[in-house]
Amino acid sequence: MVEVVGDAATVAVLALATMVPITLAALGEIVSEKAGIVNIGLEGIMLLAAWVAAASYLEAGVGYIGAYVLGAIVGLALGLIHGVLSVYLKGDQIVMGIGLNIFAVGATILGTYALWGVFSNSPSFDPMPGLIVVSGVKISPLVPATIALGIVLWAFLQKTVIGLRLRACGEDPRSAEAMGVNVLLYQVMAAGFSGLTAGLAGAYLSIDYQGVFAKNMTAGRGFIALANVAFSGWDPLLALLGGYLFGFFQALAISLNIALQEEALSSIINTIPYLATLAAVAVVARRRVRIPRWIGRPYIKE
Amino acid sequence: MAASRELLLTLASILVGLAAGALVLAAGGADPLKGIYVLLTSFTYYPEILLVGASITMLTGLAFAIPLRVGFFNIGGEGQLYAGAIVSLMVSLVAPYTPFPGLLAGFTAGAILGFIAGFLRVRLGVNEVLSTIMLNWAIYWTSTYLVIDVLADPIYPHLTRQVPEAARIPWIPSSLLGPLSEVLPGGVPIIPFISIAVALAAWAAMYLTVPGLRYRFVGANEYAALSRGVNVDYVKLASMTVAGGLSGLAGALLILGYSYRVDTGLSGLAGYGFEGIGAALIGRNHPLGIIAASVFLGELAAGSERIQVEANVPAELAEVVSGAIIFVLAALSGLKYVAPRLLGVKSEG
Amino acid sequence: MSKGSRKLVEMRGIVKVYPDGVKALDKVDFDLAEGEVHALLGENGAGKTTLMRILYGEIRPTSGMIIVRGKEARWRGPWDAIKAGIAMVYQNFRLVDALTVRENLLIYLSSLGVSRSEAESRIMSVAEDLGLSIPMEARVEDLPMGVRQRVEIVKALSGGARVLILDEPTSNLTPLEAEGLFRLIEKLKKRGVGIVYITHKLREVMSIADRVTVLRKGRVVGRSVRGDRFFSEEKLASLMVGEVLAPQRSLGEPGKDEVLRVESLTVESGEGVIRVRDVSFKVVAGEIVGVAGVAGNGQEELVEAIIGVRKPSKGSVYVNGVRVRSARDFYRAGGGFIPGDRVRALAHELSVADNAAFIYYTGSRAILMTPSRVKQLFHRLVREFGLKAMSPSTPVGRLSGGNQQKVLVGSEFLRGFRVLVAVNPTQGLDVATTAFVRDLIVKASREGVGVLLVSTDLDEVLELSHRILVMSGGRVVGELRRGEASPERVGVLMGGS
């Protein structure tokens, strides 16, 4: 990781780097949940994509871009599988996600061992160079890309007819169908998109943010992304804000640990992002949010 | 759904899960068939892993299954178990006389975590998957802090101090085992019996009591329960609290009855909470099914340990297999809507 | 044909048999001309909606023919019908509540290949032509039902509909909104739109229909054109209800003690629509009070408020003098309940024994439930109530409707009560079981139980009740004593809006 000085400005900039995976994955998941499909397996998809990106960068020489593409493809494929099984087989969306998460932890450790002969992590490598370096923090091209994606998705969902049709699927699939929307197709596509962004988020973690694959390196980020979805009230613009907020807590924990150099205390500091996330979600839960009404339920045609 | 068909579906999912394991083995260059065989038949090599693994998974399995019946996903088994383990260890150091205070404290610690998640859901509408995962990580780091800073052994700093002898749950010595003593030279831990007793008690509470019947109705037909005067929110909150308590108890049993200490990476505790999810789903959320499923997963753990030692494949193979089984079970769970005939479900006109 | 104008659609010999053998429609003919209102009159379950869902392409007929503008039509789904100019407006509107009116209309029209700007101008011109103001930016869920219905109609017309099927269009409307609808229908007629008006309300037929076809149990039992000798409330009521036998059963003599009192009860639905409006009555020991009415006139909400499941917005309920604030209060005060909907009352995946025990232990403080006691309960159901089930562990969902009802009713009777609220207690049962359940209710009343019998089956209410309250639009619109109640009188009261 980058050298960091523990001052406020650095934390604010570092938060741009830490916000990327939780925001990207949340943006895709917003689209998916707006269409009615929940994917609790974001964590697992991110982890698998992180491993694939690192492995292909290190072992196949595909370069950073190639690694990103492969990570995204893995995510897309897993998202589509989740979508097809949810939509056509009416599989249990939550439990499939849980299974995927458990599978991913085991599979990436096995993969790590198979490729590099150790249980814990891949060899370190130089992470992808950034656009610029601010206060000692590298700014990846994915930072502006994520922000841009948030804006584009907001416009897509709010301003286009296709976005409108997609939202109708997650609100009331029966009425949507009655108004001529191909609900099942929209849902599969949306689930695929969510997988794609989670794949990019995972690839970012290994080849761009850290320059290594380490076991369990997602460390709950997939779930923080889900927290961000709820926090944002399914609004991509607010998800940018939420992503920055949750990223800020992570950046704060990192900076505090580096500044204090206290091994024992560092564990307590590490709880900050999780507890802050939970608190933030609990606080906004009181607010009346427009949850897509048909979320996570199989739509069974009459 | 007919019970025999459910069993068939479960077996099919297990087969697919094992196939996924075989695939991973093959990808890693090992002989897949031999690997699966070893995975399923190694209990004689590592009987303790099977016994301990099964008894812990049984409880975390119940901890997932009990709230699931009323529609809650308790993914917090992992954190609840850590809390139970660390708290029971601390209590045993403070009160080193019998295991009971530690067991009680472990249960309570887990129950509090379960209650928090349940309360956040019932009263504030915070999704329990989210809250339990966030709590898992918060507890993980808090436990790490306690292990390193408060409980560290002065001689082995990567380990905690040990549970004092008097506060441990005793083992049955091998001298009492007769012909089995050769397989189990170290004797038999008592914790499997405790876990089975708890599972049977859970079964009895569910099936032989009126509150248990009401609880099952909340899950099966919430409106019917409501219209018959059942306090549905209370039932949901109670089931999350009990579930957390059972995971906490699992952690306490693990510490007081088997490992007596924790390492700084918490590796001796990790994974049981998630294994429990597998046990619950394979066991179809039924306490007796969970007993059987836990034994199966305990065998997977023993088998993957042996594969790690002999074939140098990480023991996480077990997670690959159980994750795949869970995934397939979930994917097939909608068949009742898609192909009711196949499952023998009577269609309503 | 009333005006000799062009036929828009014609249905010939429509038969619909469901896979379980139930014949929903039997050789039904129907047609509709430009600029007319053709009412389709009948009780619940008469087949009105099924017939129109066939015209709309949602259900395939078993046999029969649909002819649109002279050509036979074969629908693969509703979209074929919509493209042919046929649109249906359901009681529960097919609008996405969380989206705005504009968004809903855009989705619908984009499915028809209409561009965004074209859609906007079509909506404007339809609304302008009909003189309707449509709040385009409002979310559907924030709109009153009357406005939602207008949105549905504008949606249909801007999509090119010439045939408009309105399914019980006034069921969710206030009287004022209903009048607005009638004015709108007049305008649509002038523009040549043909309207099928599905209803059970005689008064509405009288005020709006040009023609009426009466359905009963899937058959056409009468047709009438405005002005002919059948076009009267009394004639149509007897056609719709059919021959009802006068009550024959002898009832016991009601006692004096009041066991159930409902005081100016007003109940709202989740959306804030008033479902029960200021209803008061009491039931004394040994008395059976029937509540008659077409389904959906507030009976369900009334019952839920009485048993304590739904909080009334005004008024109160007393059982044996105890104020009911929760379902537990109701049962502990001596209340008994036979719900109308077995699907919502039983847990289908759980066993017969579990379901029976659950009902039997309602409100009980008992903890232990030994298998032997449950088995005993099961055997009493078999012995005393004629339950036919393979074993106590059979899932209740596998039983026939009649046996499910025996589990429900039997367990409740074994539990015991002083006040019984029974909703459609014989719905879907065979003749023998029906008689059995009715005997039980009468026997209970002879033993001093006060019964509130809510039923959409007029025969049943007439046969069993000392007194009959008729509900319509959430109000009690009439009260008849046993001697004075006749099918015609109740029918006319039921049909009034």
Side-chain angles (χ1 to χ4, degrees):
Chain A
M1 210 182 319
V2 198
E3 284 277 319
V4 178
V5 190
D7 62 68
T10 314
V11 175
V13 179
L14 182 58
L16 288 175
T18 50
M19 80 178 275
V20 169
I22 46 185
T23 312
L24 256 184
L27 288 173
E29 183 65 8
I30 286 175
V31 172
S32 180
E33 294 191 9
K34 277 279 183 191
I37 303 293
V38 173
N39 193 346
I40 295 279
L42 294 182
E43 178 92 0
I45 293 178
M46 282 168 75
L47 196 57
L48 285 166
W51 184 86
V52 166
S56 56
Y57 177 78
L58 282 170
E59 306 301 322
V62 294
Y64 294 112
I65 304 292
Y68 256 126
V69 170
L70 284 169
I73 288 175
V74 166
L76 174 66
L78 290 168
L80 285 174
I81 290 171
H82 178 77
V84 167
L85 294 177
S86 302
V87 167
Y88 291 104
L89 218 50
K90 320 293 177 201
D92 187 319
Q93 296 174 26
I94 305 285
V95 179
M96 281 198 293
I98 295 171
L100 181 57
N101 288 335
I102 294 174
F103 175 86
V105 172
T108 51
I109 291 175
L110 259 64
T112 301
Y113 187 81
L115 278 188
W116 302 300
V118 287
F119 290 85
S120 54
N121 47 254
S122 73
S124 294
F125 52 91
D126 285 336
M128 189 167 97
L131 296 172
I132 43 167
V133 174
V134 182
S135 317
V137 179
K138 179 196 81 177
I139 301 297
S140 156
L142 257 69
V143 174
T146 300
I147 294 168
L149 182 66
I151 296 166
V152 168
L153 286 180
W154 175 81
F156 166 72
L157 288 171
Q158 293 302 322
K159 303 289 172 194
T160 70
V161 174
I162 296 178
L164 200 54
R165 294 169 76 88
L166 181 137
R167 282 191 286 147
C169 300
E171 293 289 349
D172 181 354
R174 202 167 67 120
S175 290
E177 192 90 36
M179 292 198 287
V181 179
N182 187 340
V183 174
L184 303 185
L185 182 70
Y186 270 85
Q187 291 187 325
V188 170
M189 290 303 176
F193 180 71
S194 177
L196 176 81
T197 54
L200 282 172
Y204 172 84
L205 274 179
S206 63
I207 60 165
D208 199 337
Y209 179 64
Q210 302 219 337
V212 69
F213 175 83
K215 79 170 182 185
N216 245 330
M217 77 185 302
T218 43
R221 284 185 178 84
F223 289 96
I224 294 181
L226 288 166
N228 190 13
V229 171
F231 178 85
S232 74
W234 290 265
D235 178 341
L237 293 182
L238 284 178
L240 293 178
L241 188 71
Y244 185 78
L245 180 70
F246 296 138
F248 182 83
F249 292 130
Q250 292 180 15
L252 184 68
I254 294 167
S255 304
L256 277 176
N257 275 335
I258 291 173
L260 296 175
Q261 296 290 345
E262 276 265 0
E263 201 200 354
L265 214 56
S266 84
S267 300
I268 292 294
I269 290 167
N270 282 339
T271 64
I272 292 174
Y274 306 106
L275 291 177
T277 301
L278 183 55
V281 173
V283 167
V284 299
R286 287 169 174 279
R287 178 189 56 158
R288 263 180 65 93
V289 194
R290 262 173 221 291
I291 302 171
R293 283 183 200 158
W294 206 265
I295 193 164
R297 284 193 275 169
Y299 166 49
I300 293 139
K301 292 198 205 186
E302 280 177 33
Chain B
M1 202 185 302
S4 57
R5 289 188 163 97
E6 267 195 47
L7 189 64
L8 213 66
L9 219 58
T10 307
L11 290 177
S13 306
I14 289 175
L15 277 182
V16 177
L18 289 172
L23 217 65
V24 170
L25 281 172
D31 177 350
L33 285 180
K34 184 159 172 272
I36 296 301
Y37 176 77
V38 170
L39 204 53
L40 293 177
T41 57
S42 298
F43 52 92
T44 49
Y45 292 78
Y46 298 97
E48 279 177 15
I49 291 185
L50 168 76
L51 289 172
V52 172
S55 44
I56 301 307
T57 308
M58 215 175 284
L59 295 184
T60 53
L62 288 169
F64 183 74
I66 289 171
L68 187 59
R69 284 233 186 175
V70 291
F72 283 11
F73 293 93
N74 176 24
I75 321 286
E78 199 75 10
Q80 292 150 8
L81 181 138
Y82 294 173
I86 301 296
V87 168
S88 68
L89 172 60
M90 291 168 75
V91 168
S92 79
L93 292 169
V94 176
Y97 315 111
T98 77
F100 295 107
L103 288 173
L104 187 67
F107 181 90
T108 310
I112 290 171
L113 287 174
F115 176 82
I116 291 172
F119 183 84
L120 286 173
R121 165 74 191 263
V122 171
R123 286 294 146 83
L124 297 180
V126 176
N127 184 301
E128 75 283 1
V129 171
L130 221 109
S131 61
T132 49
I133 291 279
M134 292 304 121
L135 287 171
N136 279 352
W137 283 96
I139 294 298
Y140 171 81
W141 285 112
T142 310
S143 304
T144 306
Y145 162 74
L146 291 169
V147 165
I148 295 174
D149 215 45
V150 180
L151 298 167
D153 189 303
I155 302 162
Y156 307 103
H158 68 288
L159 295 171
T160 62
R161 284 149 67 195
Q162 287 204 335
V163 175
E165 286 284 349
R168 293 181 185 178
I169 302 170
W171 284 44
I172 302 168
S174 64
S175 54
L176 295 179
L177 293 176
L180 276 177
S181 59
E182 268 182 43
V183 192
L184 296 156
V188 172
I190 288 184
I191 54 175
F193 301 100
I194 300 175
S195 290
I196 290 174
V198 170
L200 292 177
W203 173 81
M206 277 184 195
Y207 291 94
L208 301 180
T209 72
V210 177
L213 178 64
R214 293 194 180 121
Y215 151 81
R216 285 187 290 133
F217 254 78
V218 170
N221 188 341
E222 190 168 326
Y223 186 81
L226 211 62
S227 73
R228 290 255 155 211
V230 178
N231 187 340
V232 171
D233 277 355
Y234 172 80
V235 169
K236 290 178 170 174
L237 195 53
S239 64
M240 275 301 278
T241 308
V242 169
L246 291 179
S247 281
L249 180 65
L253 287 178
L254 190 59
I255 288 297
L256 303 177
Y258 180 66
S259 57
Y260 311 131
R261 59 172 18 155
V262 183
D263 61 295
T264 47
L266 306 184
S267 64
L269 305 176
Y272 287 113
F274 290 121
E275 285 274 294
I277 298 172
L281 294 169
I282 296 169
R284 293 274 163 187
N285 294 325
H286 191 290
L288 305 182
I290 290 170
I291 294 179
S294 307
V295 172
F296 169 71
L297 290 174
E299 164 55 36
L300 281 192
S304 55
E305 181 70 21
R306 186 168 155 221
I307 291 179
Q308 175 162 328
V309 171
E310 291 181 7
N312 230 357
V313 173
E316 277 76 8
L317 179 61
E319 281 176 20
V320 171
V321 174
S322 58
I325 294 174
I326 294 171
F327 186 83
V328 176
L329 273 173
L332 296 181
S333 69
L335 275 183
K336 57 178 178 283
Y337 307 118
V338 184
R341 293 250 174 77
L342 193 73
L343 297 170
V345 180
K346 200 181 78 175
S347 69
E348 311 276 332
Chain C
M1 198 88 335
S2 57
K3 299 176 183 169
S5 48
R6 267 196 320 135
K7 267 189 194 176
L8 287 168
V9 293
E10 204 182 338
M11 301 175 83
R12 282 191 207 148
I14 300 290
V15 175
K16 176 68 194 178
V17 183
Y18 281 106
D20 56 4
V22 173
K23 204 170 215 180
L25 292 170
D26 191 4
K27 298 215 185 74
V28 174
D29 295 337
F30 185 86
D31 65 79
L32 181 72
E34 274 184 348
E36 74 162 342
V37 175
H38 190 161
L40 201 48
L41 181 70
E43 288 193 294
N44 285 83
K48 302 165 296 199
T49 304
T50 307
L51 182 68
M52 284 304 113
R53 288 182 72 187
I54 287 172
L55 178 59
Y56 185 55
E58 277 200 333
I59 297 178
R60 246 168 253 224
T62 310
S63 65
M65 196 170 167
I66 299 171
I67 296 154
V68 179
R69 293 193 195 86
K71 268 192 273 179
E72 184 176 358
R74 287 192 183 279
W75 307 142
R76 284 161 301 172
W79 278 85
D80 286 350
I82 290 169
K83 284 175 186 152
I86 298 170
M88 184 153 176
V89 177
Y90 283 95
Q91 277 179 65
N92 304 316
F93 305 128
R94 298 287 203 271
L95 296 170
V96 179
D97 289 353
L99 300 182
T100 66
V101 171
R102 165 172 279 120
E103 290 172 332
N104 271 283
L105 294 171
L106 281 178
I107 290 173
Y108 183 76
L109 290 172
S110 67
S111 297
L112 286 164
V114 179
S115 76
R116 201 170 178 148
S117 55
E118 164 78 12
E120 300 269 358
S121 72
R122 271 205 208 179
I123 297 161
M124 289 317 290
S125 73
V126 168
E128 224 160 83
D129 180 37
L130 296 171
L132 297 176
S133 70
I134 300 290
M136 296 293 278
E137 305 309 327
R139 277 179 210 279
V140 170
E141 64 194 354
D142 298 332
L143 297 174
M145 289 296 161
V147 180
R148 295 190 203 188
Q149 188 176 55
R150 265 186 270 153
V151 172
E152 279 275 24
I153 292 172
V154 168
K155 183 181 109 182
L157 295 178
S158 54
R162 300 299 294 160
V163 173
L164 197 56
I165 306 165
L166 303 176
D167 186 10
E168 304 273 3
T170 57
S171 58
N172 290 318
L173 302 188
T174 64
L176 206 65
E177 286 176 329
E179 268 170 43
L181 172 68
F182 294 161
R183 282 198 300 274
L184 177 55
I185 289 176
E186 289 300 331
K187 283 185 194 162
L188 293 174
K189 278 171 67 173
K190 290 205 186 88
R191 284 157 183 78
V193 177
I195 292 160
V196 182
Y197 193 99
I198 304 176
T199 189
H200 61 264
K201 295 181 181 168
L202 294 162
R203 215 165 286 164
E204 291 177 6
V205 175
M206 288 298 120
S207 61
I208 194 118
D210 299 306
R211 282 198 290 160
V212 54
T213 293
V214 187
L215 281 181
R216 192 169 76 231
K217 292 179 178 156
R219 285 168 188 269
V220 175
V221 293
R223 297 178 199 278
S224 167
V225 177
R226 179 174 288 275
D228 72 15
R229 65 193 180 86
F230 287 109
F231 206 81
S232 73
E233 283 198 34
E234 287 72 26
K235 289 274 166 34
L236 291 175
S238 65
L239 277 174
M240 174 169 89
V241 178
E243 294 300 311
V244 178
L245 298 173
Q248 296 163 337
R249 198 186 284 272
S250 72
L251 302 178
E253 201 50 44
K256 290 262 180 291
D257 303 343
E258 169 190 298
V259 289
L260 173 66
R261 188 164 89 240
V262 171
E263 263 178 16
S264 44
L265 203 64
T266 296
V267 186
E268 289 175 25
S269 72
E271 296 93 44
V273 179
I274 293 183
R275 292 298 188 168
V276 177
R277 202 180 288 266
D278 198 25
V279 168
S280 301
F281 61 86
K282 54 188 182 177
V283 179
V284 296
E287 184 186 28
I288 303 177
V289 175
V291 176
V294 174
N297 277 281
Q299 299 99 316
E300 188 186 335
E301 292 81 1
L302 173 69
V303 166
E304 287 188 335
I306 291 174
I307 68 166
V309 170
R310 195 186 277 258
K311 266 207 160 33
S313 42
K314 251 179 52 202
S316 45
V317 175
Y318 297 86
V319 170
N320 286 320
V322 178
R323 173 102 188 251
V324 173
R325 289 171 201 277
S326 72
R328 199 178 299 188
D329 291 347
F330 172 78
Y331 292 107
R332 289 199 173 154
F337 179 45
I338 298 174
D341 186 349
R342 289 187 286 276
V343 175
R344 290 179 81 183
L346 296 170
H348 283 226
E349 289 153 32
L350 298 188
S351 69
V352 173
D354 280 342
N355 278 278
F358 177 69
I359 293 163
Y360 181 76
Y361 284 110
T362 302
S364 157
R365 291 184 173 86
I367 298 290
L368 275 186
M369 181 183 80
T370 55
S372 64
R373 287 199 63 182
V374 174
K375 211 172 237 174
Q376 200 187 346
L377 180 62
F378 175 77
H379 287 305
R380 286 187 70 186
L381 288 176
V382 171
R383 229 179 20 247
E384 297 168 32
F385 293 86
L387 170 67
K388 287 194 183 65
M390 282 196 296
S391 82
S393 58
T394 310
V396 98
R398 296 276 193 84
L399 301 185
S400 68
N403 279 309
Q404 289 184 8
Q405 192 72 347
K406 282 176 181 171
V407 172
L408 237 167
V409 173
S411 310
E412 190 68 349
F413 270 82
L414 290 174
R415 186 174 78 85
F417 39 74
R418 289 185 59 200
V419 176
L420 176 66
V421 177
V423 185
N424 292 327
T426 61
Q427 192 174 321
L429 302 185
D430 59 37
V431 179
T433 321
T434 298
F436 177 72
V437 171
R438 288 180 187 169
D439 286 346
L440 278 175
I441 290 173
V442 171
K443 190 163 151 258
S445 79
R446 284 177 182 281
E447 288 163 4
V449 170
V451 181
L452 185 71
L453 171 68
V454 181
S455 180
T456 47
D457 181 344
L458 196 48
D459 288 333
E460 182 163 85
V461 175
L462 287 167
E463 183 184 332
L464 297 183
S465 311
H466 292 98
R467 267 192 302 144
I468 296 174
L469 307 174
V470 183
M471 269 190 97
S472 178
R475 292 174 191 277
V476 172
V477 293
E479 179 175 341
L480 300 166
R481 308 221 135 259
R482 189 167 175 81
E484 58 193 28
S486 69
E488 288 75 22
R489 288 187 70 175
V490 178
V492 169
L493 283 170
M494 269 164 62
S497 80

